[in-house]
Amino acid sequence: MKMMKHTALATVLASTLLFTGCGYNTLQVKDEAVIASWSEVQNQYQRRADLVPNLVNVVKGYAKHEEQVLTEVTQARANVAGLKVDREVLEDPALFEKYQQAQAQMTSALSRLIAVSENYPDLKANEQFRDLQVQLEGTENRIAVARNRYITTVQDYNGYVRQFPQVMTAKVIGMKTKE
């Protein structure tokens, strides 16, 4: 009977030590950190998308014959708005790449829109346009910062998921590295 109690106690202690080092809780915390940092990237992308209609409307009044550029910006915004990023997209490299391409298209279209403004001195002098341009530039900087934080968070997560013994726990619960 004493031997059985000692064996049970030894089993409980061994199990506790084994599961303490498995990293399950830390994996969960790091996974949530990745999701939170990506949410900040999305937040900044949304801020940029929200500024676009105002910018387009101001430019329309000055650059009526630049309809193609305005159409490209509007289309790029529609493409970005139509792509919602959830956990599935973050874990699917093809969908994630599609989202990144849509954001790159938006950046390119906005660059062309700003270039158009260079041809219109009155537009460049317009206070509303200048304010929107400053907000857009600030948002682009925020996007860069948020993306850098996301990359750092994913690096931390991926490094942890690949370490032993966490790699074993990650495999058991189906957690993989992230893009």
Side-chain angles (χ1 to χ4, degrees):
M1 189 65 151
K2 246 185 184 183
M3 182 65 154
M4 198 170 186
K5 284 183 183 180
H6 285 351
T7 304
L9 182 60
T11 302
V12 169
L13 284 173
S15 296
T16 302
L17 289 174
L18 185 69
F19 286 115
T20 302
C22 76
Y24 177 82
N25 290 337
T26 305
L27 281 168
Q28 300 306 313
V29 169
K30 290 183 180 291
D31 186 48
E32 288 301 319
V34 168
I35 292 167
S37 65
W38 180 252
S39 293
E40 182 57 26
V41 173
Q42 278 188 287
N43 182 32
Q44 296 307 325
Y45 281 149
Q46 185 61 49
R47 177 181 160 81
R48 177 175 69 174
D50 291 346
L51 287 171
V52 169
N54 297 331
L55 195 62
V56 167
N57 287 334
V58 170
V59 173
K60 270 184 183 176
Y62 288 88
K64 297 208 183 299
H65 63 281
E66 300 288 354
E67 197 64 36
Q68 180 183 355
V69 173
L70 297 174
T71 301
E72 286 175 13
V73 171
T74 304
Q75 181 62 44
R77 183 183 184 276
N79 289 345
V80 166
L83 294 172
K84 296 297 177 201
V85 177
D86 56 14
R87 192 177 202 124
E88 179 184 333
V89 173
L90 285 176
E91 294 176 3
D92 183 337
L95 291 175
F96 189 76
E97 179 62 28
K98 183 177 179 182
Y99 184 80
Q100 291 299 91
Q101 286 174 354
Q103 291 299 336
Q105 180 186 12
M106 172 71 101
T107 299
S108 176
L110 286 171
S111 295
R112 286 191 299 280
L113 181 67
I114 298 302
V116 163
S117 73
E118 297 296 321
N119 296 327
Y120 299 91
D122 292 343
L123 174 59
K124 285 176 28 182
N126 179 292
E127 188 176 327
Q128 186 180 11
F129 178 79
R130 282 196 326 251
D131 289 347
L132 287 167
Q133 190 173 6
V134 166
Q135 286 182 41
L136 190 61
E137 288 168 0
T139 300
E140 292 295 331
N141 289 336
R142 288 179 179 158
I143 288 170
V145 168
R147 286 181 57 134
N148 283 336
R149 285 185 187 144
Y150 173 73
I151 290 166
T152 301
T153 305
V154 169
Q155 280 178 320
D156 180 52
Y157 170 85
N158 286 346
Y160 189 77
V161 166
R162 289 181 176 143
Q163 292 174 2
F164 187 82
Q166 293 85 355
V167 70
M168 306 304 285
T169 304
K171 284 182 181 182
V172 168
I173 62 176
M175 294 181 92
K176 299 176 182 165
T177 58
K178 302 203 182 280
E179 291 291 317

